[in-house]
Amino acid sequence: MRILHTADLHLGKRLGKATRLIEQCDVVKEIADIADEKDVDVILIAGDIFDAAVPPSEAERVFYKSMLTFAERGRAVIALAGNHDDEKRLCAAKPLADLQGIVLAGELDYTAFLSEGFGDTIPPASLFEVADAAEFLKKQRVKLIGRYGGITVVKGEERVNIALVPYPSEARILRWATDRGIAPDYTKEFVDRVRTVIDEACSIFDDNYNILCTHLFLTKSNAEALGGLVALPIDILPSKADYVALGHVHKRYAVSKTPLAVYPGSPLQYAYDETRDKSVTVVDTVSRSVTPVPLTSGKKLTEAQAGSFDGCMQKLDFYSGDYVRLLYSGEPLAKDETAAIKAHPAFNDFVITASSTRASKTISRANLSDDEIFNMYYKHRRGVEPSAELKAAFKMLMERGNDETD
């Protein structure tokens, strides 16, 4: 069985005044083409489907069309709720999605997959009977079995267990416990309550190929947070997992080798200091290979330094196919010059940086951490604070360096 792993679509996300929906449609089509080329059976989206809990209607339309595009060759599609998603809103179309092999994963219990618990059958039983004869069910290449904790995918004699743990916020952990009639144990630390949730979901694991799909910020050392998520240690991952499909970090990164836990990165570049190289990951459960496949869709985000009006226009012309943030260090611009820069199709942002001739204040670094020194250096050179993504990438790089010197 082949499984394509991606995450962090962030449908509806904007870059300043620029919408990214057209690019998001393009990258969805590219991912679907990769799934065809690689003969993929399951597409796994590990959270942050939307950029906001209440996304614009245009983003929801892109989502529905994307799921249908992914599923149109009889593939199973699993879309997991991340920290940006309202799980109830994400799962509102569940009765229709179930019928087409699309799992909208906002909870822990999937035993009711292909049914609803509202007393009366919704939609009517007659519609299920019609759906049973529909062409899209005839071409299904896999069978999905809902269980508490996740989904078992069956293809011929092969079975793959996929434990599904949406981003475990405090509110979600409380609701999951309440739904099972269990009082949450607040004497435990948050990390231990998350560990309990993961262990419960992974109880579906057996001697077949086992995958945990979740949306977490994992680190090998102490960290504060990334995008509002508390850093969790990698030892919360289950040892029986053959592969851990992660979401949240926007760069491709294997945070653990045993078990193999991978962030595929976002399919588009969403911040100027994010990596420009984007990919999805294809997992082959027979050969047990994990292969990144590059993506080419979407505009690049480029920072360009300039010290004059002419320099600004030259940089905008040179990077005419990108979204450009100008880092300006020259004399103040005239009103008509500023208007001309902002009217350029490639222009997206303008940051006035400190003049290189301006005296800088000497600050002792003796009592500063590596993170604080990095933040100071970045702000001095760029004139802006580094993003949470770049801070996380720096921390990961430092961790790798420490691992190599230990």
Side-chain angles (χ1 to χ4, degrees), residues 118-131:
F118 293 109
D120 296 330
T121 303
I122 302 176
S126 59
L127 185 54
F128 281 106
E129 293 170 1
V130 171

Side-chain angles (χ1 to χ4, degrees), residues 26-327:
D26 290 343
V27 80
V28 164
K29 177 64 167 59
E30 184 178 7
I31 293 172
D33 289 343
I34 292 171
D36 285 343
E37 178 186 344
K38 302 296 183 182
D39 196 26
V40 164
D41 301 293
V42 181
I43 293 180
L44 201 54
I45 309 171
D48 282 356
I49 311 301
F50 295 110
D51 190 55
V54 183
S57 58
E58 295 87 350
E60 291 186 303
R61 290 188 65 184
V62 170
F63 169 62
Y64 297 136
K65 293 172 75 172
S66 299
M67 296 303 101
L68 291 173
T69 299
F70 287 156
E72 67 183 357
R73 298 289 191 273
R75 292 181 288 264
V77 182
I78 300 175
L80 185 89
N83 62 299
H84 279 247
D85 302 308
D86 181 320
E87 69 276 15
K88 294 186 181 299
R89 193 177 187 94
L90 177 70
C91 299
K94 182 179 180 298
L96 295 177
D98 286 1
L99 291 171
Q100 300 181 65
I102 301 170
V103 180
L104 302 179
E107 304 295 336
L108 291 181
D109 190 354
Y110 301 92
T111 54
F113 184 69
L114 281 174
S115 66
E116 285 285 351
F118 293 109
D120 296 330
T121 303
I122 302 176
S126 59
L127 185 54
F128 281 106
E129 293 170 1
V130 171
D132 284 340
E135 188 62 30
F136 70 80
L137 281 183
K138 292 181 181 178
K139 66 182 181 183
Q140 290 296 299
R141 60 173 73 201
V142 294
K143 178 182 178 183
L144 303 180
I145 302 173
R147 307 169 66 183
Y148 185 86
I151 296 286
T152 295
V153 185
V154 181
K155 182 183 180 184
E157 299 299 317
E158 185 182 5
R159 296 168 69 93
V160 173
N161 302 309
I162 304 178
L164 300 172
V165 180
Y167 168 59
S169 65
E170 290 281 12
R172 290 176 184 174
I173 292 175
L174 173 61
R175 188 175 65 255
W176 295 335
T178 302
D179 289 347
R180 300 183 69 191
I182 300 172
D185 186 357
Y186 287 109
T187 63
K188 291 184 177 180
E189 295 290 333
F190 176 71
V191 61
D192 294 321
R193 282 181 280 138
V194 173
R195 194 190 309 272
T196 298
V197 168
I198 291 175
D199 289 345
E200 289 176 350
C202 292
S203 64
I204 67 173
F205 287 177
D206 53 27
D207 293 335
N208 295 288
Y209 197 93
N210 300 309
I211 295 175
L212 167 63
C213 178
T214 188
H215 192 90
L216 299 171
F217 176 34
L218 299 178
T219 181
K220 298 177 183 177
S221 63
N222 295 328
E224 293 180 0
L226 172 60
L229 269 68
V230 177
L232 297 171
I234 59 174
D235 66 10
I236 67 171
L237 298 178
S239 59
K240 288 193 66 175
D242 295 290
Y243 180 76
V244 181
L246 295 168
H248 188 58
V249 176
H250 285 197
K251 64 170 286 183
R252 177 176 172 79
Y253 177 54
V255 68
S256 169
K257 293 182 179 179
T258 308
L260 180 58
V262 174
Y263 291 102
S266 60
L268 293 176
Q269 187 183 3
Y270 285 124
Y272 284 95
D273 48 23
E274 276 184 23
T275 177
R276 297 163 67 94
D277 298 322
K278 297 298 183 178
S279 63
V280 294
T281 300
V282 175
V283 179
D284 189 314
T285 61
V286 175
S287 66
R288 293 180 175 263
S289 63
V290 176
T291 307
V293 180
L295 295 170
T296 60
S297 296
K299 290 184 178 184
K300 302 302 182 184
L301 277 60
T302 300
E303 286 186 325
Q305 296 186 358
S308 67
F309 169 73
D310 289 340
C312 289
M313 298 306 291
Q314 289 171 4
K315 292 296 176 68
L316 290 170
D317 288 340
F318 185 80
Y319 297 111
S320 59
D322 299 354
Y323 292 111
V324 179
R325 169 191 277 172
L326 292 170
L327 306 177

Side-chain angles (χ1 to χ4, degrees), residues 372-391:
E372 290 170 327
I373 294 171
F374 173 71
N375 293 348
M376 286 173 50
Y377 173 78
Y378 189 91
K379 187 172 182 180
H380 173 70
R381 294 300 300 268
R382 299 293 184 104
V384 293
E385 293 280 353
S387 70
E389 286 295 337
L390 187 60
K391 291 178 183 178

